[in-house]
């Protein structure tokens, strides 16, 4: 069965410092991996994805993520955090061979960036 | 560029009543999904649809019914609402399996008293 784990309920970081939000996954087959961000009372917004190719993926708002097949991880990173990055972040996965497109989501990590 | 819209955004109902949450997308995406978001559970898939007239169950389908007579609409019906169905419901669409990312609506917050 597919699953996604986000081991931290909350990550706190000071503005200007680098941030990492962790994600590990379990699938049978090649994964498609995604990061989404959710601001209060809003829907989820797509940040970036890994389908194939370069393990380092760059996305919106200066975020990037690194696909690590051996560690089955897809951690979200940003070199310099902004207060406006404070939000709820979700990692999601599906098997590349899936014919349904269903994404399995992690439980989410709240990122708090303090001035 | 309307995208994907959900209505109502907020709904309060009573146990046993029927409730329908609407979802409309303007992109003609083939795939559509309904998720519910609950604290501690993240997002869980209720139902999905690969095309008009094709629907299938997700992870938590009990108590819900969907239909998809037109590509652009994917309503979710709670036939007899229960308190455990108090949640925030998100509709999403996807253009193709090769691109993969979902586009979400703003959500419908449902409270069942």
């Amino acid at each position: 069965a597919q699953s996604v784990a986000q081991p931290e309920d909350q990550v706190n970081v000071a503005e200007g410092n680098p941030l990492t939000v962790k994600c590990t996954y379990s699938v049978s087959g090649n994964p498609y991996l995604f990061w989404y961000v959710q601001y209060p009372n809003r829907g989820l917004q797509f940040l970036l994805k890994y389908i194939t190719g370069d393990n380092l993926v760059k996305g919106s708002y200066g975020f990037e993520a690194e696909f690590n097949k051996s560690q089955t991880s897809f951690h979200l990173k940003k070199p310099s955090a902004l207060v406006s990055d404070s939000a709820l972040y979700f990692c999601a996965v599906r098997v590349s061979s899936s014919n349904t497109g269903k994404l399995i989501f992690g439980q989410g990590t709240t990122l708090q960036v303090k001035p | 560029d309307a995208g994907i819209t959900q209505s109502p955004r907020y709904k309060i109902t009573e146990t046993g009543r029927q409730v329908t949450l609407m979802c409309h997308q303007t992109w003609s995406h083939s795939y559509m999904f309904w998720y519910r978001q609950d604290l501690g559970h993240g997002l869980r898939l209720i139902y999905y649809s690969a095309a008009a007239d094709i629907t299938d169950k997700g992870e938590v389908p009990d108590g819900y019914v969907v239909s998809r007579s037109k590509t652009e609409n994917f309503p979710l019906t709670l036939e007899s609402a229960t308190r455990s169905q108090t949640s925030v419901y998100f509709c999403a669409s996807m253009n193709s399996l090769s691109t993969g990312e979902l586009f979400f609506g703003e959500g419908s917050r449902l409270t069942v008293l």
Side-chain angles (χ1 to χ4, degrees):
Chain A
Q2 302 172 67
S3 66
V4 177
Q6 294 181 240
E8 300 153 319
D9 289 337
Q10 182 158 329
V11 170
N12 298 310
V13 65
E15 187 175 32
N17 283 359
L19 68 88
T20 299
V21 182
K22 295 180 180 177
C23 172
T24 59
Y25 66 90
S26 175
V27 297
S28 299
N30 293 321
Y32 282 9
L33 293 153
F34 303 84
W35 276 102
Y36 285 83
V37 60
Q38 184 182 32
Y39 297 100
N41 298 314
R42 303 297 300 277
L44 278 71
Q45 297 177 29
F46 169 74
L47 274 181
L48 52 79
K49 66 181 177 183
Y50 172 82
I51 300 294
T52 187
D54 196 346
N55 289 343
L56 184 63
V57 178
K58 294 186 183 296
S60 306
Y61 312 121
F63 284 93
E64 59 188 28
E66 185 165 13
F67 170 61
N68 188 316
K69 188 172 184 177
S70 62
Q71 296 186 3
T72 61
S73 67
F74 190 56
H75 302 329
L76 181 70
K77 299 182 180 183
K78 188 174 182 180
S80 179
L82 300 173
V83 172
S84 58
D85 293 330
S86 298
L88 181 59
Y89 290 81
F90 288 98
C91 182
V93 69
R94 64 166 252 233
V95 178
S96 62
S97 59
S98 166
N99 63 357
T100 65
K102 295 186 292 183
L103 291 190
I104 303 299
F105 285 84
Q107 294 190 2
T109 298
T110 298
L111 174 64
Q112 189 76 31
V113 181
K114 297 184 178 180
Chain B
D1 186 301
I4 184 165
T5 55
Q6 294 183 231
S7 61
R9 291 291 315 278
Y10 303 92
K11 175 75 176 178
I12 299 174
T13 191
E14 296 177 338
T15 300
R17 291 190 180 260
Q18 183 179 81
V19 176
T20 296
L21 306 179
M22 305 300 293
C23 178
H24 175 80
Q25 51 111 349
T26 59
W27 296 306
S28 297
H29 285 175
S30 295
Y31 297 86
M32 295 189 75
F33 307 82
W34 275 106
Y35 285 88
R36 60 178 288 175
Q37 182 179 19
D38 303 288
L39 198 62
H41 291 280
L43 277 80
R44 292 180 291 175
L45 182 65
I46 305 171
Y47 268 95
Y48 64 97
S49 170
D53 297 321
I54 301 175
T55 62
D56 207 347
K57 296 178 181 179
E59 183 185 358
V60 289
D62 292 344
Y64 302 95
V65 174
V66 294
S67 62
R68 193 158 177 216
S69 57
K70 294 183 178 181
T71 299
E72 60 267 29
N73 296 324
F74 191 39
L76 177 73
T77 298
L78 289 67
E79 294 190 302
S80 179
T82 65
R83 288 185 181 149
S84 65
Q85 293 177 309
T86 292
S87 186
V88 181
Y89 292 86
F90 287 99
C91 180
S93 70
M94 181 175 71
N95 185 25
S96 72
L97 293 175
S98 60
T99 55
E101 66 264 33
L102 302 184
F103 295 90
F104 283 83
E106 293 290 278
S108 294
R109 182 176 294 273
L110 176 67
T111 301
V112 183
L113 301 176

